[in-house]
């Protein structure tokens, strides 16, 4: 019996070793794919002719939809920032999701809002009730919709979809700061290929540590807290380079709800955001894939790597943990809901490659990772493993992981190089190391809890995030980070 | 009990490889940064001089012209940086300042530099050269630029198309239309923008393109015809709206007819509004009637306020409002069905706000959209 247990333990440890080699190799592959594309795209921005398109009648109309719940800290600045985007034809639709603070009142005063009987049809399902709609007396292209809160951001987004006027919708977080020409960049693929492109995503970067004034990023810097610093590297590796890699393989499954643009008619055709899914942004993309493939319709979804939306990330462990559990639960719900796509050739690369990848490496992965560390320790304790094996395991699990994170930093440095100065570089490099020692394991624990919650169907809720607001002013921005 | 062993040499070699790889990556980052900074420092003096020269030229002051620095510059990052600086400066100027700067850049060897760099092996350099020649309106480089519309680099093709547009050479219109198809095609937006810059002179090519086999080409042709207000093509655009086999060209035809106007466009647009199965086409038809609908048109538009598609209802509402007092009167009379009445109420309210704004004294700019 003892020997059987020992054999099983040995076999599992070997399996975990190969698992770490596989997952880190896949991350490295994405980084290498992105290494070719991202710097090239960035350095060739000058050849895109964006300046001429800022006022061009050739660009399609866009409705920017921002759901806001208790965003009084930065809502006016965010909306101002959106209204000053360089784009010829767009509107901003802010959905006040039953805020209990002064979110609406601040908007009302700032933009001199007046109530109008705007028709908001039930094109996609919603739960909450629309209470009123408001537009400015001035000529700002702004619509503010007030609704009752239903506890789901997806509901607010769906109300925004119903209220929107234009053929493209951009879903953004109300507290994000976009590059001034960000809308232009993510809309370009639609303008150039209106029949096939159905979704594009922008890049999300960490705003903590940046100096933001009146909705514009004046200078970038590494955050003060190590938790935020680690997320800088993580966002680079996973959300920028990873998704560029998936775009190159035609397998983009996740477009961040913080910055995604979609063809409105397709979103309506698939029923909008799922009101009962925590990861509603990814789930919508999966459903769009399914819809297009089931219909045999040609389509493309892509990440636009040279446009950035800056967002505030949690600097509190509890809040971050809640966020990551929620993301993980959302992914689990997506996999369960779209299980029919798994290894189904009808869904092409999405079914045969992307879904299995996310199942193995993102859903099951954290179990394997944590269990691996535990069983290696157990193996050492019971004398089944020797120190050489343990050292090799750590090399693969941690050393290889650090290599991937550093490679991600290198690719970013060859392109946008957001973090200037050697001090910022040193912090970035250290963060790439620390990300893999301690944070990754803690993250795995949060993800495990999220997966379990997703499988059990328990309500983890959204919770609240303490926001300091982006850019009360340059000095304030620097002191607000602990 | 057996133990799981990894041979020590394997561990040692693996450790060495991974540690070395990490060190190499860190070293690469550092070297890259240092090299970039050194390159920027090396280029800074000549760039600074160049910018000063351009600024002086743009303000009509006699600048020192150092032809040797620019025209003998090797093809590469430095020449590209100079050309980019010139392009940026040019794009920020208008009128006499712009003309003065163009003259300075011509005499200063920038045009020669760009012409040479059109044949650079590096795609980025070729593209930037296209940008500069376009900004300089270098008509004598038209043939080279048209050639580059078929370059193997997609971004160079785009830049060449934009440059050709700025030359406003009607002879290049065919090449632009041709660039929409084939293995080395160009995205439609830059091509349409270039055709718009060429202007009415490309009308014959555009009218011919209305019969192109590719629906994308027909769509772009319609769009540009509408934006250029080429009323001579009205009949052909009407034909396309009524009989094209694809939806997208018909949508663009509807938009174009809205811009072209005229007494003959209302009837086909109304037919489209009433019978098209594609809601995007009905919405385009409704939008096209803005400002041109007569009583019959307004009646059809008020019916469209209850279209199954919300985008059609909204387009109809906007179109009715654009018809002025007649439109407002038509909206006020909409009582049934309830949905149509709700849309009518919305657009009446929006129109009231707009009219109140027009009537009130001018207010400071609060970030209004162009």
């Amino acid at each position: 019996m003892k020997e059987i247990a020992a054999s099983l333990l040995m076999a599992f440890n070997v399996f975990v070793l190969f698992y770490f080699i596989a997952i880190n190799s896949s991350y490295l592959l994405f980084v290498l794919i992105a290494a070719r594309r991202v710097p090239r795209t960035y350095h060739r921005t000058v050849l895109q002719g964006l300046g001429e398109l800022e006022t061009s009648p050739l660009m399609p109309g866009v409705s920017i939809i921002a759901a806001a719940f208790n965003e009084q800290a930065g809502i006016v600045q965010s909306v101002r920032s959106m209204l000053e985007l360089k784009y010829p034809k767009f509107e901003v639709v802010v959905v006040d999701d039953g805020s209990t603070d002064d979110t609406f009142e601040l908007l009302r005063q700032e933009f001199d809002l007046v109530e109008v009987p705007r028709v908001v049809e039930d094109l996609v399902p919603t739960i909450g009730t629309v209470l009123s709609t408001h537009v400015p007396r001035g000529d700002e292209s702004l619509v503010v919709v007030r609704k009752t809160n239903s506890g789901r951001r997806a509901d607010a987004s769906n109300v925004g979809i119903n209220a929107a006027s234009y053929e493209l919708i951009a879903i953004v977080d109300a507290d994000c700061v976009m590059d001034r020409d960000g809308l232009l960049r993510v809309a370009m693929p639609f303008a150039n290929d209106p029949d096939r492109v159905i979704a594009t995503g922008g890049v999300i970067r960490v705003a903590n540590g940046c100096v933001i004034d009146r909705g514009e990023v004046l200078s970038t810097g590494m955050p003060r807290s190590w938790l935020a610093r680690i997320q800088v590297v993580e966002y680079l590796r996973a959300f920028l380079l990873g998704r560029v890699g998936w775009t190159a393989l035609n397998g983009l499954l996740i477009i961040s709800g913080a910055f995604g643009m979609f063809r409105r008619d397709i979103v309506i055709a698939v029923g909008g955001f799922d009101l009962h899914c925590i990861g509603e942004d990814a789930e919508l993309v999966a459903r769009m894939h399914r819809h297009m493939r089931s219909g045999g319709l040609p389509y493309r979804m892509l990440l636009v790597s040279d446009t950035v939306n800056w967002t505030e990330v949690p600097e509190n462990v509890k809040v971050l943990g809640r966020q990551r559990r929620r993301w993980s639960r959302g992914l689990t719900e997506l996999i369960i809901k779209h299980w029919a796509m798994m290894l189904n050739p009808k869904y092409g690369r999405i079914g045969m490659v992307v879904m299995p990848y996310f199942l193995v490496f993102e859903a099951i992965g954290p179990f394997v990772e944590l269990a691996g560390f535990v069983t290696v320790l157990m193996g050492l304790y019971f004398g089944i493993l020797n120190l050489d094996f343990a050292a090799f395991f750590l090399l693969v699990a941690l050393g290889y992981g650090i290599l991937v994170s550093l490679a991600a930093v290198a690719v970013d440095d060859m392109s946008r190089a957001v973090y200037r100065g050697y001090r910022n570089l040193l912090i970035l490099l250290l963060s790439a190391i620390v990300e893999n020692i301690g944070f990754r394991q803690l993250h795995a624990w949060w993800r495990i809890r999220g997966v379990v919650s997703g499988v059990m169907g328990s309500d983890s809720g959204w919770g609240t995030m303490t926001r300091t607001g982006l850019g009360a002013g340059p000095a304030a921005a620097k002191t607000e980070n602990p | 009990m057996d133990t799981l062993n990894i041979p020590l040499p394997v561990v040692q070699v693996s450790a060495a490889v991974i540690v070395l790889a990490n060190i190499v990556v860190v070293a690469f980052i550092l070297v890259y940064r240092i090299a970039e900074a050194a390159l920027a420092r090396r280029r800074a003096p000549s760039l600074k001089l160049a910018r000063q020269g351009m600024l002086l030229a743009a303000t009509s002051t006699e600048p020192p012209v150092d032809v040797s620095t620019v025209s003998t510059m090797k093809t590469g990052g430095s020449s590209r940086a100079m050309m980019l600086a010139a392009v940026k400066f040019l794009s920020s100027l208008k009128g006499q300042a712009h003309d003065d700067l163009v003259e300075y850049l011509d005499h200063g060897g920038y045009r020669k530099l760009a012409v040479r760099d059109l044949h650079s092996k590096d795609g980025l350099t070729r593209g930037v050269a296209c940008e500069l020649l376009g900004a300089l309106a270098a008509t004598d480089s038209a043939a080279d630029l048209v050639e580059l519309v078929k370059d193997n680099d997609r971004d160079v093709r785009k830049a060449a198309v934009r440059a050709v547009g700025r030359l406003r050479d009607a002879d290049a219109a065919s090449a632009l239309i041709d660039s929409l198809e084939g293995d080395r095609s160009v995205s439609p937006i830059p091509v349409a923008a270039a055709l718009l810059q060429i202007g009415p002179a490309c009308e014959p090519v555009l009218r011919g393109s209305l019969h192109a086999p590719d629906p994308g080409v027909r769509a772009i042709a319609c769009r540009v015809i509408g934006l250029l207000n080429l009323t001579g093509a009205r009949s052909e655009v009407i034909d396309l709206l009524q009989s094209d086999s694809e939806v997208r060209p018909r949508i663009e035809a509807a938009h174009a007819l809205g811009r072209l106007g005229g007494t003959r466009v209302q009837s086909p647009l109304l037919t489209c509004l009433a019978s098209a199965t594609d809601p995007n086409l009905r919405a385009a038809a409704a939008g096209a009637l803005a400002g041109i609908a007569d009583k019959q048109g307004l009646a059809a538009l008020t019916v469209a306020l209850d279209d199954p598609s919300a985008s059609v209802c909204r387009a109809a509402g906007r179109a009715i409002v654009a018809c002025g007092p007649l439109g407002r009167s038509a909206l006020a009379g909409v009582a049934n069905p309830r949905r149509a009445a709700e849309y009518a109420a919305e657009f009446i309210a929006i129109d009231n706000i707009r009219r109140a704004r027009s009537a009130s004294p001018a207010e400071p700019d609060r970030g209004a959209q162009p």
Side-chain angles (χ1 to χ4, degrees), chain A residues 6 10 13-14 17 40 43-44 46-49 52-53 57-59 80 83-85 87-88 90 109-112 114 116-119 121 123 135-141 164-165 191-192 194-195 265 382-386 388-389 391-392 395-396 399-400 402-403 406-407 409-410 413-414 419-422 425 429, chain B residues 1-8 10-11 14-15 18-19 21-22 25-26 28-30 32-34 36-37 84 122-124 127-128 131 153-156 158-159 162 166 187-190 192-193 196-197 223-224 227 248 259 280 307 309-311 313-314 318 339 342-343 345-346 349-350 353 357 366-370:
Chain A
M10 266 197 267
N13 282 320
V14 172
L17 194 63
R40 183 186 160 96
H43 291 298
R44 282 170 169 238
V46 68
L47 300 184
Q48 304 312 312
E52 291 170 8
L53 297 175
L58 297 166
M59 298 301 289
R80 273 269 162 247
L83 287 171
E84 286 167 12
L85 291 170
Y87 197 80
F90 73 99
Q109 285 174 17
E110 175 69 16
F111 297 102
D112 194 16
V114 59
V116 293
R118 185 173 172 116
V119 178
E121 300 209 49
L123 303 171
V135 297
R137 269 186 241 269
D139 60 1
E140 293 99 338
S141 300
S165 310
N192 282 318
D195 292 325
D265 59 335
F382 288 114
I384 301 168
L385 304 175
N386 63 11
D388 293 341
F389 181 91
F392 188 68
L395 266 175
V396 167
Y400 197 174
I402 292 172
L403 175 65
L406 288 174
V409 169
D413 229 49
M414 288 194 298
Y419 302 102
R420 299 272 165 195
Y422 290 104
L425 178 61
L429 295 174
Chain B
M1 196 161 45
D2 288 338
T3 55
L4 185 55
N5 283 332
I6 301 274
L8 185 59
V10 170
V11 178
S14 306
I18 286 178
V19 169
N22 278 303
V25 171
V26 172
F28 173 83
I29 295 170
L30 286 169
Y32 188 88
R33 280 217 181 185
I34 291 168
E36 226 192 3
L84 266 173
D122 174 52
L124 182 54
V128 173
E131 292 285 346
D153 187 312
R154 184 179 60 182
D155 293 325
V156 174
K158 254 191 265 187
R162 277 200 303 280
R166 285 196 207 115
S187 312
I189 295 299
L196 283 175
Q197 284 184 299
R223 183 176 255 195
V224 177
L227 288 168
R248 175 115 349 241
R259 289 177 183 270
N280 294 319
D307 191 280
S309 164
S311 56
C313 302
R314 216 166 271 289
R318 278 196 290 265
R339 189 160 164 265
E342 285 173 355
Y343 273 106
E346 174 186 332
I350 300 279
I353 292 171
R357 190 169 61 234
R366 296 174 73 195
Q369 293 307 304

Side-chain angles (χ1 to χ4, degrees), chain B residues 142-158:
Chain B
D144 286 330
L145 288 168
V146 168
E147 191 63 35
L148 283 174
V149 168
K150 286 288 176 198
D151 193 270
N152 59 8
D153 187 312
R154 184 179 60 182
D155 293 325
V156 174
R157 297 198 292 273
K158 254 191 265 187

Side-chain angles (χ1 to χ4, degrees), chain B residues 256-328:
Chain B
L257 289 175
R259 289 177 183 270
L260 295 174
T263 51
R264 293 173 46 224
V265 307
Q266 182 172 263
S267 177
L269 286 171
L270 289 178
T271 305
C272 218
L273 180 59
S275 61
T277 50
D278 189 302
N280 294 319
L281 182 50
R282 293 199 304 277
L289 288 161
I292 62 174
D294 58 15
K295 269 194 173 163
Q296 182 195 7
L298 280 170
L301 284 170
T302 50
V303 169
L305 287 174
D306 193 36
D307 191 280
S309 164
S311 56
V312 178
C313 302
R314 216 166 271 289
R318 278 196 290 265
I320 295 171
V321 162
C323 292
L326 261 180
R328 282 197 293 277

Side-chain angles (χ1 to χ4, degrees), chain A residues 64-71 75 78-79 82 92-99 103 107 143 145 147 149 152-161 170-176 257-258 273 280 462 467:
Chain A
I64 302 174
I65 297 170
F69 176 70
N70 288 355
E71 302 278 356
I75 188 67
S78 287
V79 173
M82 289 182 221
V92 176
V93 180
V94 176
V95 182
D96 174 19
D97 199 7
S99 297
T103 299
L107 286 172
V143 178
V145 182
K147 66 177 278 290
N149 184 270
R152 299 284 184 207
R153 185 188 171 215
D155 190 43
S157 297
N158 278 358
V159 166
I161 292 167
I171 308 292
V172 302
D173 273 350
D175 61 339
C176 279
F273 289 99
E280 75 277 2
W462 272 76
R467 298 204 182 279

Side-chain angles (χ1 to χ4, degrees), chain A residues 167-221:
Chain A
E167 61 262 46
L168 298 180
I169 51 173
I171 308 292
V172 302
D173 273 350
D175 61 339
C176 279
V177 174
M178 234 190 286
D179 281 346
R180 282 275 187 266
D181 58 4
L183 208 58
L184 208 47
R185 289 169 194 267
V186 288
M188 277 295 286
F190 290 95
N192 282 318
D193 197 354
D195 292 325
R196 285 199 311 163
V197 173
I198 61 171
T200 60
V203 173
I204 312 299
R205 281 196 186 245
V206 174
N208 308 48
C210 297
V211 175
I212 296 172
D213 188 39
R214 285 184 288 183
E216 198 172 348
V217 177
L218 299 179
S219 70
T220 53

